[in-house]
Amino acid sequence: MLDNKFIDAYWKFRRREITSMREFGIYLGHCEYYHKCIYAYSKEYEASDEYKIELEKQLKKNPYLRGTISDRACFNEKSRGRKGEKGITDKFKEVYWDYENYKISPIEAYELTGYSKNWFHKVSLDYEKSPYYKDDIKKHPEVMKKPERTQAVPIDFKKDAMTMTDEELSVKYNYHICKVQRLRLKTNRKAVWDAIKENSQK
């Protein structure tokens, strides 16, 4: 029977809290832990009823788990390199809204889109300037209650926000009004941390 420490490490790896097989081994107390042992134990665990029950629980908390370990599915995710990177695809939009809703971490967003860090943020900013953004955000009303996550607060925005209307800020900074409203929230650091903590506790 597998011990609780291995099972804990297993799910940390699937949730990307453990980033590599080497780190998996270190977590178990074996710096040079044999990968084949991890695969063997994972195969045993993934065939158990206990695994099936736990998988349902984990997927409810995080629908973007890595693939299974025993068949190496966890390594079949897209490369984050420039090769094959695209733009505003349906998959990108799905990940983008989960990211802006603070449901996933930046690293998860890069891995799920297959984009590098810089490319993900570039495409995100392009999307936020596009005519589709103000229509798409209506499908995600809960996002309006949370601070803007991709766009940094521009210099002087906080000062201008004290005296200017949303419409005036929209014209000056060339942002959709819905984005201006979320940038207002972002000027409050507590609002940002509250959004991050709210998701981490789920």
Side-chain angles (χ1 to χ4, degrees), residues 19-77:
T19 60
S20 67
M21 281 292 160
R22 184 174 185 278
E23 190 176 329
F24 197 137
I26 292 172
Y27 184 87
L28 295 174
H30 302 276
C31 186
E32 298 301 330
Y33 201 86
Y34 291 114
H35 292 180
K36 62 183 180 182
C37 292
I38 293 177
Y39 294 131
Y41 292 151
S42 295
K43 184 176 182 179
E44 178 186 341
Y45 179 52
E46 289 167 3
S48 69
D49 292 334
E50 179 186 356
Y51 166 79
K52 294 173 185 176
I53 295 171
E54 184 61 27
L55 178 61
E56 289 186 16
K57 296 178 183 177
Q58 292 289 335
L59 285 172
K60 287 180 181 178
K61 297 177 182 177
N62 184 352
Y64 301 112
L65 292 175
R66 276 187 175 126
T68 46
I69 296 176
S70 62
D71 58 1
R72 272 66 165 186
C74 55
F75 300 118
N76 292 338
E77 297 173 327

Side-chain angles (χ1 to χ4, degrees), residues 8-25:
D8 184 50
Y10 175 91
W11 289 111
K12 283 181 180 293
F13 179 80
R14 291 283 301 271
R15 294 192 302 265
R16 298 179 178 82
E17 293 169 19
I18 289 178
T19 60
S20 67
M21 281 292 160
R22 184 174 185 278
E23 190 176 329
F24 197 137

Side-chain angles (χ1 to χ4, degrees), residues 78-85 114-116 119:
K78 293 180 180 178
S79 167
R80 299 204 314 245
R82 276 295 169 90
K83 184 178 180 181
E85 286 183 341
Y115 295 171
S116 63
W119 192 254

Side-chain angles (χ1 to χ4, degrees), residues 178-191:
C178 50
K179 182 171 177 176
V180 166
Q181 292 169 342
R182 296 187 64 221
L183 277 169
R184 281 186 184 275
L185 291 174
K186 191 169 185 174
T187 61
N188 181 343
R189 280 191 166 187
K190 184 177 183 302

